[in-house]
Amino acid sequence: MATGDALAAAALETLPITVAVLDGDGEILLTNRAWREFEADETTADHVGHNYVATAAMDADDDEHAKRAVEGLESVLEGDRDAFSMEYPCHSPDEKRWFMMRAGRFTVDGAVRVTVIHLDITDRKLAEIAAEESAEQVREEHRALEHVLERVDGLVREVTDAAVGAGSRDEIERRVCRRLADTDPYVLAWIGRVDVTTRRISPREWAGRDDVPLEDDDLVLDSDETHPAVRALEAGEPYVIQDLAAFEDADRWWPTGADDHYRSVAAIPLTYGDVTYGVLALFAADPDVFDERELPILESLAETVSTALNAIEARRMLTTETVVELEATIEDPSLFVAELADALSSTVIYRGLTYDEGGTPLAFFRVETADPDRAVDAAADLEAVEAASVLTEYEDSVVLELALGNGIVTALADHGAVIQRLDADDRVLDLALELPNGQAARSAYDLLDERYDRVELRSYHETDQPTRTPRDLQSTIETKLTDRQQAALRKAYYADYFDWPRGVSGEELAESMNVSRSTFHQHLRAAQRKLLEELFAGDPTSEA
């Protein structure tokens, strides 16, 4: 069996780290294979019998790391410390390398001995350097972001003040464009509106260089899909061209990429909820301006402008007495009214709309058919219809009550539309809507155009209303009637309960509401009383 010294020496040879053992004077007594192979790769092997400390001291004057190594080794040899370690670079012509040297003191039979180990820490150092570079990059990006925020902070305040402080839509657009065009690096800003009937984007306000025109012609949605303003409105999200000089279609609209004054452009839709007020086009003199830091700021500004436009529009609605009337023809077999007309080979006439106590839309349609059961079955088979029943029967037609899911009727209501006509004949739908403003009208029309195959806008115009409009009366009544009272009144009206002879009995209407006959009449009489009170309000002959 090998002696202890022989076993230790043999084990030392197998270690993958470089190891040397020094005597009390710093002379090398023993090295392992890893040490010898490494030294042989670098210079003439410096092994047993050489003084390791003296050799390192030769480089101490010119090498800070060698100086530290000598001082540390001497302190261990002299007994001032038991161990010493340091990290140092040892680069070769082909690669970067780092090592950690560790010296440890021990004794053998009273004689001082020191082990010197060199451990390759290159992978760790490279990882640390990469982490530091990454951290520095983060710090640089943070500094750049702080600069951007500092630059735009004033812009945000100014644009917000301009938007909120303006008294009209034209003034908002004008002041916002001027603020943006006066802010580096932007050189031109314009805001365009969309005409519902012509589908044209018309730049209404702009600010920038005075020696150039704005746009030679109006832009038409769907006709020039290369224009960033068109793309932004069609997609409903910002569209950016970072370098107009490299954009081959830029010469199709002004300003072109060939003009050095305009190198990048961003177009941002101005939307509030489902209503689109237009589009903001912003040009910069340099390429790559609208990056991931710049664009969110502009989107936030666009939201501020849209909110201000909405507030102006809401104020205008409260002080004016106009509504938008829109009529359209829709050809699409998937629309449930057209489906019903096709299934029954009949004309379907819209009568009205109400909601049950759970908020489900209840639409009423008169269908020309002598077979009520067939009409109910055909309606119940429609995907958009949750339930169908006959409200009134006539000799050659029926009034159907259809409980609808979240379809086109609720979507139009969300856009502020009041359905005046929703009739179908031979798979063609005749639609008439009343909307509170032009933005709501465009939004509703876009909704129809996106959902259905063929939508033709037949008419669009604003209509003056009398001082007290039917809509005013309806809104007032709806606030006074309970849901049950309103449902009873609407059902009775749509089912021709007030005609003579009556088209339906009170018992039948009560059954459709799942209430007793007496309860139905109680709801109906209460609704009628409130209706008459509102109708005769202010009449000196009426009771208070």
Side-chain angles (χ1 to χ4, degrees), residues 178 181-182 187-189 206-214 254 261-262:
R178 288 176 180 175
D182 288 341
V187 292
L188 173 68
W206 77 290
R209 294 175 58 194
D210 296 329
D211 59 343
V212 291
L214 181 55
W254 184 94
H261 292 287
Y262 307 97

Side-chain angles (χ1 to χ4, degrees), residues 359-372:
T360 300
L362 301 178
F364 303 92
F365 293 90
R366 184 162 182 164
V367 182
E368 295 180 359
T369 179
D371 190 343

Side-chain angles (χ1 to χ4, degrees), residues 196-216:
V196 177
T197 54
T198 64
R199 303 282 286 164
R200 289 182 180 274
I201 303 177
S202 302
R204 300 295 296 268
E205 296 291 341
W206 77 290
R209 294 175 58 194
D210 296 329
D211 59 343
V212 291
L214 181 55
E215 295 274 358
D216 293 334

